[in-house]
Amino acid sequence: MRLVVFDVDGTLVDSQADIVASMAAAFAAVNLDAPSRSDILSIVGLSLPVAMEALAPDADTPMMVEAYKDSYARLRVSKGASSSPLYPGARAALDRLQARDDILLGVATGKSKRGLDGLIEAHGLEGMFITRQVADFHPSKPHPSMLLTAMEDAGVTAQAAVMIGDTSFDADMAQAARMPFIGVDWGYHPTDRLQGAHSVLSDFSELDDALGAVWAD
């Protein structure tokens, strides 16, 4: 069996509008001006406390985290699936991989369990992923804990797995877990930050061939 682990924000779904809006709410909660969109997107993938400390090291991190979570949850409830739309081709790629009898799917995300569960429900992805690794139970990316647990859940080694993501945090996490990494160019970090990527996708239609190339090596 092979395990394909996906990042979520910036890889499977485009959640930047709600991330930016919720970060603005978090900064407003501590009476600070929000950072620029580019600065906010640069920390997507980190666990929220780590992200807040990076953006506002002297602010009240717990208050900011709660304000962010509350805002994000309200947006998800009010907007449904449109809150974080799947990127073009993402659902078809997931369906193709799930239909194969030699591949298991997982996710490793800086989202909370509540956030991931809500997104999966909104997009009708229940049963798609055999392992769901979230920020609640692990150190922040790029620590390899999420991927090590995902491999344990799936019963595979790093050589039989691959991480797919859009940020340097994903790339570094995969390297720390000794897992191959495939990048995507539609996410939140420029592709020159995806160090060590076996390949970088420009479209989900390229994924199947990229996986074959990883496991042929």
Side-chain angles (χ1 to χ4, degrees):
M1 297 299 295
R2 311 284 193 175
L3 173 65
V4 181
V5 183
F6 290 91
D7 169 58
V8 177
D9 297 308
T11 301
L12 289 177
V13 301
D14 186 3
S15 47
Q16 63 178 294
D18 286 359
I19 289 172
V20 171
S22 296
M23 195 63 75
F27 273 75
V30 293
N31 299 311
L32 292 175
D33 292 333
S36 67
R37 174 181 290 265
S38 61
D39 285 344
I40 292 171
L41 295 182
S42 74
I43 54 79
V44 173
L46 297 175
S47 298
L48 274 177
V50 177
M52 297 303 184
E53 289 169 7
L55 292 172
D58 298 322
D60 185 335
T61 296
M63 181 180 291
M64 295 181 74
V65 168
E66 286 308 307
Y68 180 99
K69 287 182 176 180
D70 289 345
S71 172
Y72 204 97
R74 286 195 301 270
L75 289 169
R76 187 180 68 245
V77 170
S78 65
K79 296 166 65 176
S82 66
S83 171
S84 297
L86 288 162
Y87 282 106
R91 181 56 190 257
L94 291 172
D95 287 340
R96 284 197 309 273
L97 295 179
Q98 188 186 39
R100 291 176 53 170
D101 59 10
D102 61 334
I103 285 182
L104 302 170
L105 301 180
V107 290
T109 176
K111 284 184 175 298
S112 67
K113 183 179 185 299
R114 179 177 70 166
L116 179 63
D117 288 351
L119 183 142
I120 285 175
E121 180 180 1
H123 287 292
L125 296 174
E126 294 91 345
M128 181 71 71
F129 306 107
I130 64 103
T131 181
R132 302 183 190 179
Q133 304 307 319
V134 295
D136 307 61
F137 311 121
H138 297 280
S140 178
K141 297 177 182 180
H143 192 285
S145 176
M146 290 188 189
L147 293 184
L148 297 177
T149 303
M151 288 187 285
E152 184 177 351
D153 286 351
V156 303
T157 64
Q159 291 71 37
V162 65
M163 174 69 198
I164 300 170
D166 70 303
T167 70
S168 61
F169 312 127
D170 299 316
D172 292 345
M173 178 175 65
Q175 183 177 27
R178 301 184 182 277
M179 182 185 291
F181 174 71
I182 294 174
V184 303
D185 71 0
W186 54 78
Y188 303 151
H189 281 188
T191 56
D192 61 8
R193 293 186 60 182
L194 306 182
Q195 297 297 312
H198 194 279
S199 60
V200 177
L201 308 180
S202 295
D203 189 274
F204 267 112
S205 64
E206 302 167 356
L207 177 56
D208 301 71
D209 288 344
L211 292 172
V214 166
W215 291 320
D217 288 351

